[in-house]
Amino acid sequence: MPGHIVSSYDNDLEDLRRSISEMGGVAEKMMAEATDALVRRDTALAEAVILADKRLDTLQREIEERSVLLIAKRQPMAIDLRETISAIRVSGDLERIGDLAKNVAKRVVAISDQAPAQKIVQGVEHMSDLVQEQLKDVLDAFSSRDVKAAHDVWERDGAIDALYNSLFRELLTYMMEDPRNISFCTHLLFCAKNVERIGDHTTNIAETIHYLATGEALAGERPKNDASNYATVTPAA
Amino acid sequence: MPGHIVSSYDNDLEDLRRSISEMGGVAEKMMAEATDALVRRDTALAEAVILADKRLDTLQREIEERSVLLIAKRQPMAIDLRETISAIRVSGDLERIGDLAKNVAKRVVAISDQAPAQKIVQGVEHMSDLVQEQLKDVLDAFSSRDVKAAHDVWERDGAIDALYNSLFRELLTYMMEDPRNISFCTHLLFCAKNVERIGDHTTNIAETIHYLATGEALAGERPKNDASNYATVTPAA
């Protein structure tokens, strides 16, 4: 009964999509809560984020295994093969996003006893808000297979890198102004870097959506604007 | 002719192994050269590392595509399926190792005009030497399917995390001693973090070798000793 086989295959794919959607929800929540925990210096919330990461790891492993079994059992071709490959890739990116959010949460615990100027934290919060929007948009684009929306996310990653770059310089300046800021600002630097890397993973997902729809890799250079690898700041004389 | 099919499948697997071996060689070379470039402040060598990363990206994409096609065409089961899944995983880790080495190389360019105490750089160099040994050992273990050697690598990751943790505190102390060290030491902090993450990817590869040989995930908690997420340093009064 070929009809039965096709329908069961569709069910398998539908299950994969549901699991990815669940992963996306967990990753979004982790990122929002890690940022809240940072802004409010809420260690209990940070601990909750750290725990939530386990669910994401489990889901990712399951999706990977189910996708591979699906490929082995059904020998899908063309679009159906791309569906399963995309599931593996997107779940990998979401798992990494969870790791990065967890790392921000761990740093909230580290700096919980310090009371830095709220203005410094707001830069990271603002950047995180933008990346959360990117994550939401790319997950919507994945659900609706909306290639244009995915391209929009891809294009906007350059702005986030530019923001990270200016935040990097700002944090270095704070450290130079007062050595008591160094420990705190170092953790904020890593938080900002983690958020920037979450942005990179949303860009990866956007590229996967393009591949899923067209069968081709997204052409052209990524709109990278992260010059912070090259940035230095000199203390005032 | 089933004999012919099996033999052609073996050839495909052999090709995959060869490509992974090539990736491993490129990743090792990038890491060694990025570290040399950092120690000698050699920007030309750093630029060469940055360029080399493209080859790794290409190889990874090829291995992923060929593995998936192999699964779809041959419907391998058990050990043969694990071979192809392992190829996808290991090539993913090696691609990330290349990215991290490339990031170290970019920071060499950033700090090329600064002349910090060589002693500070040596801490990162020492850590990188240990991780390069881990990488070499895990690649050898993968080639020879040596589960015991893979376990040894896995166990040793805790020592690298502990080293990173002490380096993190040391770099923060340097920054507090003299604001002119801040810019440089921040880049070194990120370099050290990248090297520590390369260590994590060698641990991933060790876990894949275990899975390949046994079909099971490696049980037990990873020997993580990285407490730097939680570390703070207070300036001397």
Side-chain angles (χ1 to χ4, degrees), chain A residues 131-149:
Chain A
V131 173
Q132 284 177 62
E133 211 177 297
Q134 292 276 81
L135 179 56
K136 187 191 172 302
D137 289 351
V138 88
L139 289 170
D140 286 348
F142 184 73
S143 296
S144 56
R145 304 304 193 245
D146 184 339
V147 181
K148 191 180 164 312

Side-chain angles (χ1 to χ4, degrees), chain B residues 34-159:
Chain B
T35 308
D36 277 358
L38 179 65
V39 173
R40 303 205 312 256
R41 228 128 327 130
D42 182 340
T43 51
L45 186 57
E47 299 286 3
V49 172
I50 294 167
L51 277 179
D53 190 49
K54 285 197 197 306
R55 176 71 188 142
L56 225 42
D57 288 348
T58 306
L59 279 169
Q60 192 245 333
R61 231 355 107 95
E62 280 174 14
I63 289 171
E64 192 181 72
E65 280 170 14
R66 277 156 48 203
S67 303
V68 168
L69 279 178
L70 200 61
I71 295 171
K73 263 177 17 196
R74 310 281 187 200
Q75 300 179 274
M77 284 295 143
I79 177 70
D80 288 342
L81 184 57
R82 294 207 299 275
E83 280 275 356
T84 31
I85 294 172
S86 299
I88 295 173
R89 286 189 191 159
V90 172
S91 67
D93 283 308
L94 290 172
E95 190 268 331
R96 295 292 302 132
I97 288 172
D99 277 351
L100 293 161
K102 180 175 77 171
N103 192 272
V104 171
K106 283 183 177 179
R107 292 179 191 278
V108 172
V109 178
I111 58 181
S112 60
D113 59 341
Q114 301 184 35
Q118 200 61 10
K119 182 175 172 298
I120 315 185
V121 180
Q122 274 162 4
V124 181
E125 186 188 15
H126 175 56
M127 190 177 153
S128 175
D129 287 345
L130 287 186
V131 174
Q132 284 177 63
E133 211 177 297
Q134 292 275 81
L135 179 56
K136 187 191 172 300
D137 289 350
V138 88
L139 289 170
D140 286 348
F142 184 73
S143 296
S144 56
R145 305 303 193 244
D146 184 338
V147 181
K148 183 167 174 322
H151 280 212
D152 285 350
V153 169
W154 193 80
E155 293 286 348
R156 290 200 311 259
D157 190 53

Side-chain angles (χ1 to χ4, degrees), chain A residues 19 33 61 72 118 129 135 196 233:
Chain A
S19 294
E33 290 185 348
R61 230 354 108 95
Q118 201 59 9
D129 287 345
L135 179 56
E196 186 261 342
V233 172

Side-chain angles (χ1 to χ4, degrees), chain A residues 47 50 54 61 64-65 68-69 71-77 81 85 88-89 96 103 105-111 113-114 164 168 172 175-176 179-180 182-183 186-187 189-190 193 197 211 217 221 226 228-235, chain B residues 47 50 54 61 64-65 68-69 71-77 81 85 88-89 96 103 105-111 113-114 164 168 172 175-176 179-180 182-183 186-187 189-190 193 197 211 217 221 226 228-235:
Chain A
E47 299 287 1
I50 294 167
K54 286 197 197 306
R61 230 354 108 95
E64 193 181 70
E65 280 171 12
V68 169
L69 280 177
I71 295 172
K73 262 177 18 197
R74 309 282 189 200
Q75 300 179 277
M77 283 294 143
L81 185 56
I85 295 172
I88 295 173
R89 287 190 189 159
R96 293 292 303 134
N103 191 271
K106 283 184 177 177
R107 292 178 191 278
V108 172
V109 178
I111 57 183
D113 59 341
Q114 302 184 34
Y164 169 66
F168 181 89
L172 249 54
M175 289 156 89
M176 284 167 188
R180 285 170 301 179
I182 288 178
S183 202
T186 300
H187 284 293
L189 266 178
F190 277 104
K193 183 71 195 171
R197 285 174 54 213
Y211 158 79
E221 278 293 302
D226 175 12
S228 82
N229 294 326
Y230 298 107
T232 56
V233 172
T234 312
Chain B
E47 299 286 3
I50 294 167
K54 285 197 197 306
R61 231 355 107 95
E64 192 181 72
E65 280 170 14
V68 168
L69 279 178
I71 295 171
K73 263 177 17 196
R74 310 281 187 200
Q75 300 179 274
M77 284 295 143
L81 184 57
I85 294 172
I88 295 173
R89 286 189 191 159
R96 295 292 302 132
N103 192 272
K106 283 183 177 179
R107 292 179 191 278
V108 172
V109 178
I111 58 181
D113 59 341
Q114 301 184 35
Y164 169 67
F168 181 90
L172 250 54
M175 289 157 89
M176 284 167 187
R180 284 170 300 179
I182 288 178
S183 202
T186 300
H187 284 293
L189 266 179
F190 277 104
K193 183 72 195 166
R197 285 174 54 214
Y211 158 79
E221 278 292 302
D226 177 12
S228 81
N229 296 324
Y230 297 107
T232 56
V233 172
T234 312

